[in-house]
Amino acid sequence: MSLLKDLAQICLDKHYKVVTAESCTGGLVAAAITSLPGSSQWFEGGYVTYSNEAKHQDLGVPLELIEQYGAVSREVAYAMASGAKEKTPAQLSLAITGIAGPEGGSADKPVGTVWFAWGLADGSIQTEKVLFTGDRQSVRTQAVNFSLSRLLNHLN
């Protein structure tokens, strides 16, 4: 909870709002943020774009990008973060796309592979890939915590 309080304080101090674009976490980041009282002052909203079509329709991710690189890729995470920021007045975006399991993994992208992207107030977008271990719930929980922690790091 201190992670969220620290994030909230920075966002409030800098007059930033955050928007989320989530796939494998299914809205868990937005749920974590909104569990904090007063989050409406710094949380703009969230997109849960689980399907490729939702990524395209809601966030403007080109279908060609998904076909070329796969939904779980740096390129798609980047496009999700960019699209969420473009469609809202938020200064910050956080995007997550991954394979939580237990099925769906491959040799190139095993279960636990998660791509993150953070759209920052200066217009840059930072990306990172992490391979988490554990069951589906564990991967999703780790992804939520990692995404919020890294967003805070990017702001500090």
Side-chain angles (χ1 to χ4, degrees), residues 1-13 16 18 33 36 42 92 94 147-153 155:
M1 190 60 107
S2 70
L3 167 66
L4 281 173
K5 287 181 180 175
D6 292 348
L7 183 59
Q9 195 58 59
I10 288 175
C11 288
L12 291 169
D13 290 348
Y16 288 164
V18 175
I33 289 171
L36 190 66
W42 61 277
L92 307 171
L94 183 166
S147 68
L148 292 168
S149 174
R150 276 294 198 272
L151 178 58
L152 183 59
N153 288 349
L155 295 177

Side-chain angles (χ1 to χ4, degrees), residues 31-45:
I33 289 171
T34 58
S35 71
L36 190 66
S39 58
S40 62
Q41 295 175 42
W42 61 277
F43 183 61
E44 183 66 32

Side-chain angles (χ1 to χ4, degrees), residues 61-62 64-66 68-82 97 109 115-117 125 127:
V61 176
E64 303 79 35
L65 208 61
I66 296 170
Q68 184 174 358
Y69 299 103
V72 179
S73 63
R74 176 194 179 280
E75 293 80 6
V76 169
Y78 187 103
M80 289 170 67
S82 176
T97 183
K109 297 176 186 176
W115 272 99
F116 300 88
I125 297 180
T127 59

Side-chain angles (χ1 to χ4, degrees), residues 117-152:
W118 300 270
L120 304 177
D122 66 4
S124 68
I125 297 180
Q126 305 296 317
T127 59
E128 189 168 348
K129 179 177 83 168
V130 177
L131 179 59
F132 296 111
T133 59
D135 63 11
R136 181 177 181 80
Q137 189 55 46
S138 176
V139 168
R140 288 163 40 110
T141 299
Q142 290 173 80
V144 169
N145 293 334
F146 181 85
S147 68
L148 292 168
S149 174
R150 276 294 198 272
L151 178 58
L152 183 59

